[in-house]
Amino acid sequence: MQIAGVDIYVNHPVLHLGATDWVPLSLALDTTPAASCDTHVAVRVRPQRGLIKVRLFTPPDYPQAEGPDPEFATVFDGPLLLPDGRIAVGDVEQLTRFVYRVGDRGQFNVRVAVNTPGPDASAIDIVVTNPSN
């Protein structure tokens, strides 16, 4: 079920998502579509040519609920530590930032999918699951 959405303009080809604290300097994207550490994911996106559409989902409470786009390619699927129970999405310059509470603090299962993996990605679906539910 979609719980939030935001359009973000980015100057650099990277969008960060994860914990609300600072992104570690050790998180390097290199040439891959995405890279991660225990608290953040960096996703390669299309910069300076329009808005990046980001949608946030939780598992649906009922089967008819709108879900993430099934044709998007998964670039990250794993655990992320969210110390305050909030997930942040923003550009690397931290000029644009969206924060949403997804639960209590702790570790969450997160799946990140994009419409086109790599430098032409312009839409991202994020599914956050609280493993304690």
Side-chain angles (χ1 to χ4, degrees):
M1 176 171 78
Q2 184 172 345
I3 56 173
V6 65
D7 292 336
I8 297 177
Y9 185 81
V10 295
N11 283 320
H12 297 280
V14 179
L15 192 73
H16 287 140
L17 61 100
T20 56
D21 58 352
W22 293 100
V23 176
L25 295 175
S26 60
L27 183 58
L29 190 55
D30 298 322
T31 60
T32 60
S36 67
C37 64
D38 61 340
T39 57
H40 293 86
V41 178
V43 180
R44 185 172 307 287
V45 294
R46 179 186 69 202
Q48 297 183 345
R49 288 188 284 161
L51 296 170
I52 305 299
K53 179 181 253 351
V54 180
R55 299 186 307 167
L56 186 61
F57 296 88
T58 59
D61 293 331
Y62 51 95
Q64 304 89 322
E66 179 185 2
D69 192 316
E71 296 190 19
F72 280 18
T74 299
V75 294
F76 173 80
D77 192 353
L80 281 184
L81 179 62
L82 303 177
D84 60 2
R86 299 183 302 161
I87 189 165
V89 179
D91 66 305
V92 296
E93 295 175 315
Q94 296 192 15
L95 297 174
T96 303
R97 186 172 176 196
F98 174 77
V99 178
Y100 191 88
R101 179 170 295 284
V102 292
D104 292 330
R105 64 184 174 155
Q107 194 168 45
F108 292 79
N109 295 322
V110 177
R111 184 173 61 83
V112 179
V114 297
N115 62 332
T116 304
D120 288 326
S122 61
I124 301 172
D125 283 351
I126 305 165
V127 179
V128 179
T129 306
N130 187 340
S132 65
N133 288 344

